[in-house]
Amino acid sequence: MNGQTMYDRLFGADAHTLVADGLFLHGTARIGTQEVAVIGTLDHAAIDVSIALRIAEAVLHVVRDDAADGKPPRPIVFMADTQGQALSRHEELLGLNGYFAHIVRCVDLARRQGHRLLTVISGEAVSGGFLAYGLMADRICALPKSQVRVMDLRAMSRVTKISLERLEELAKQSPVFAPGAENYWRMGGIHELWSEDDDWSACLAAALGKVASSDDRAAIGLERGGRLLAAPTAQLVANP
Amino acid sequence: MNGLQISYFEASARKRLSELVDAGSLVEFCPPEMRQTSPHLAMLDAPLAFDDGVVTGRASLSGHKVLIAAQEGRFNGGAVGEVHGAKIRGLLDRALSERPAAVLLLIDSGGVRLHEANAGLIAISEIMRAVLRVQAAGIPVFALVGGSCGAFGGMGIVTRLCTEVVMSEQGRLGLSGPEVIETVKGVEEFDSRDRALVWRITGGKLRRALGEATLLVDDLIPAFRTAAAKLIERYRAHPPVPADLDELLGAQAELTERSVRFAAARDGREIWQADFAEASRVPEMTVAEFNALLGEAA
């Protein structure tokens, strides 16, 4: 599915003005009668300093414009499609981690200003690129065929010196290390998995209605049986 | 304090803690006796630690109450798994009700623990949100970075979300480690065995010159203690307030300016040349001299 078809299915063909500028995506759309801002990346973008600055700036401009217009804060939909952070000496020298932290602060400002934050994973969601903004939303949904991971099993096998066969076997029982949106769903890291048969714009509207600004992912992971220790361990330390 | 000069870099997490806080004041939460170990490491027959590689507790520092977490770089590179991450998140949650003078994160971590990568990634995003909540409640969070694993991956992002970042020259801060970049992009891009180069890209002096670290201290536990104590005093008088639009627009402009100014830079030398009259001397400068010159430059 190309981007345009996907955006049409999500927002309705006549209800969005999304512009792809290189690997950066932005614009406005309607979900039902609600206007939303859309910010994201496409084509499995490797997030570098320049894309990070554009994401952060777009978030700040939504916050600024709504405050200036005296409008109720619009929801922000993050379209996440990233292969992870850009890997280069130059990016590291500049402090790419600091640029990602800046995005996170901007997203947090939007949350505190009352913007509802929703992520739609539309391709890949990998590691640092996913942490930078997709994982910071209040509600995270994945389109079918989304690839969500830190590292593929082959690379993990090389690093951990555990055989690929063993990892593949264990991955059938445990959601904890193997790639897959389903695994993240079980662990509470993704709230909703949408299927090919779903009406995505109806899903989007419903998801927007369920956005809550508290971070309940550990409790959800416990409830779904995919992350049994996070919530009780945090509780042991927080309030023994 | 026994008068010996104790290297922060060389010390274990527990040693750092014991020398950093007031003697005998540490009360540990979820201590090793509780044996809250990682079932995921066990499933893969990997070694376990009864504290899962992070100590969490309450202590006093110069008489002020702090909550404190110390990652153990010697266990799995300080990497964050489900239990390890949940302990740090729990500590930050606790700060909201206990209201310490500060939360101290002694970060020594390569990021996500691959044996439980999905749990680790989600845990780090939970820690990120928790750090922001604590700061929004007016409680400062200080990152101390001076261990052998540095602060990389998601913990490199967490570090930069903290209110202040105290680093030693030996400390390293970044996102992707040199080994990862070399493996994927080749040795020409980043030779991870060239220690001087690695240090010029990720080390404390470079990070301080860029403003990513807010204080540079000697590689001594008492130096970190003195810095933390000073910061606590400073923030007791002026608690942190969450960043507003103007502040973040300012940060946006600064970060943009840096990316333009150093658009082609691939070595820390190029950044020092912009800041220091005698850039070639930067590696050999003492921390005191470096800080003094940086103060003059700024």
Side-chain angles (χ1 to χ4, degrees):
Chain A
M1 184 181 307
N2 70 29
Q4 200 57 44
T5 315
M6 178 172 74
Y7 308 141
D8 289 352
R9 262 193 83 175
L10 279 165
F11 302 108
D14 304 321
H16 68 84
T17 55
L18 298 190
V19 184
D21 185 355
L23 298 172
F24 174 67
L25 175 79
H26 65 113
T28 56
R30 299 198 85 80
I31 298 176
T33 56
Q34 170 83 59
E35 185 180 314
V36 300
V38 180
I39 299 167
T41 55
L42 63 157
D43 291 342
H44 318 320
I47 314 287
D48 58 11
V49 159
S50 132
I51 298 177
L53 284 170
R54 301 206 63 180
I55 295 169
E57 181 178 50
V59 173
L60 291 177
H61 286 181
V62 172
V63 172
R64 183 194 63 191
D65 293 348
D66 288 1
D69 294 349
K71 286 196 296 194
R74 284 172 294 168
I76 300 175
V77 177
F78 294 111
M79 298 291 295
D81 184 5
T82 167
Q83 59 181 273
Q85 67 268 29
L87 295 171
S88 93
R89 216 168 93 186
H90 169 68
E91 302 288 329
E92 286 301 320
L93 180 68
L94 287 180
L96 189 55
N97 57 311
Y99 285 77
F100 284 15
H102 175 61
I103 303 178
V104 170
R105 279 208 186 88
C106 294
V107 173
D108 186 61
L109 171 71
R111 189 186 345 264
R112 285 185 280 110
Q113 296 299 114
H115 296 264
R116 286 179 284 167
L117 307 171
L118 190 72
T119 289
V120 176
I121 301 171
S122 58
E124 295 186 30
V126 181
S127 207
F130 189 25
L131 271 181
Y133 66 101
L135 266 174
M136 284 299 113
D138 297 312
R139 197 164 185 88
I140 302 167
C141 309
L143 295 180
K145 302 197 189 97
S146 294
Q147 310 266 328
V148 186
R149 67 177 179 277
V150 171
M151 191 181 265
D152 69 46
L153 287 189
R154 239 168 251 286
M156 181 184 159
S157 165
R158 276 199 305 274
V159 178
T160 60
K161 316 270 191 277
I162 299 166
S163 77
L164 183 61
E165 294 70 32
R166 179 123 191 268
L167 290 178
E168 283 171 344
E169 191 54 39
L170 288 169
K172 289 178 191 158
Q173 307 145 37
S174 166
V176 82
F177 62 82
E182 164 84 11
N183 287 340
Y184 279 77
W185 180 88
R186 282 179 62 194
M187 302 179 72
I190 289 175
H191 296 84
E192 304 181 21
L193 299 173
W194 300 347
S195 77
E196 208 50 66
D197 299 331
D198 284 331
D199 174 347
W200 295 352
S201 58
C203 290
L204 200 52
L208 197 59
K210 290 181 198 152
V211 166
S213 63
S214 58
D215 187 351
D216 302 326
R217 292 174 292 175
I220 297 170
L222 181 61
E223 192 183 292
R224 292 177 182 170
R227 204 157 50 117
L228 300 175
L229 286 172
T233 304
Q235 191 60 28
L236 267 178
V237 176
N239 190 19
Chain B
M1 215 74 51
N2 56 14
L4 286 175
Q5 300 286 293
I6 309 157
S7 162
Y8 186 99
F9 186 90
E10 300 285 344
S12 69
R14 287 180 185 277
K15 180 70 177 170
R16 285 173 194 154
L17 271 180
S18 71
E19 299 294 328
L20 194 79
V21 302
D22 299 343
S25 70
L26 180 71
V27 177
E28 194 168 344
F29 308 135
C30 198
E33 301 82 67
M34 290 180 77
R35 303 199 172 190
Q36 192 78 350
T37 58
S38 164
H40 315 304
L41 289 177
M43 178 179 77
L44 295 166
D45 300 321
L48 303 178
F50 289 147
D51 58 12
D52 204 37
V54 64
V55 186
T56 48
R58 179 206 300 120
S60 64
L61 202 160
S62 290
H64 298 296
K65 179 166 82 173
V66 295
L67 294 184
I68 191 161
Q71 294 181 298
E72 178 51 71
R74 296 172 191 177
F75 178 68
N76 271 310
V80 178
E82 181 174 359
V83 169
H84 181 120
K87 286 175 73 175
I88 300 175
R89 188 256 167 97
L91 186 81
L92 290 157
D93 287 347
R94 188 180 184 117
L96 297 174
S97 54
E98 274 212 21
R99 301 207 60 90
V103 179
L104 271 56
L105 302 180
L106 281 56
I107 293 172
D108 194 359
S109 175
V112 168
R113 186 186 292 170
L114 288 181
H115 306 78
E116 38 191 306
N118 302 339
L121 191 72
I122 300 168
I124 288 180
S125 78
E126 290 169 334
I127 291 170
M128 285 159 66
R129 287 194 58 180
V131 165
L132 292 162
R133 278 198 300 276
V134 169
Q135 290 171 324
I139 301 162
V141 183
F142 305 142
L144 277 54
V145 180
S148 58
C149 297
F152 283 94
M155 291 311 290
I157 308 176
V158 169
T159 299
R160 288 291 287 108
L161 285 176
C162 291
T163 323
E164 299 277 348
V165 178
V166 183
M167 277 184 87
S168 66
E169 202 175 337
Q170 289 81 350
R172 293 179 300 130
L173 172 61
L175 189 55
S176 306
E179 295 82 4
V180 175
I181 296 177
E182 181 184 315
T183 304
V184 179
K185 298 285 174 173
V187 70
E188 311 75 30
E189 175 63 27
F190 205 159
D191 182 353
S192 67
R193 283 184 298 183
D194 184 342
R195 294 183 60 165
L197 175 68
V198 168
W199 177 79
R200 291 199 303 272
I201 304 291
T202 65
K205 276 182 179 163
L206 185 272
R207 292 293 165 221
R208 179 67 194 98
L210 282 174
E212 299 266 301
T214 49
L215 282 173
L216 186 75
V217 300
D218 283 309
D219 173 36
L220 297 168
I221 301 176
F224 277 91
R225 175 185 161 90
T226 304
K230 271 189 200 156
L231 289 174
I232 290 168
E233 290 294 346
R234 186 194 304 168
Y235 280 91
R236 281 188 78 75
H238 305 282
V241 287
D244 63 11
L245 179 62
D246 285 341
E247 183 180 340
L248 288 172
L249 285 169
Q252 176 83 23
E254 266 177 45
L255 289 168
T256 303
E257 201 260 342
R258 183 195 299 171
S259 72
V260 172
R261 189 174 177 208
F262 300 114
R266 296 184 73 234
D267 193 315
R269 283 175 180 143
E270 297 166 67
I271 285 159
W272 290 327
Q273 273 156 11
D275 283 340
F276 293 91
E278 291 180 277
S280 62
R281 281 195 56 247
V282 167
E284 69 200 51
M285 284 175 192
T286 65
V287 167
E289 186 186 3
F290 177 89
N291 283 336
L293 286 173
L294 200 65
E296 283 168 25

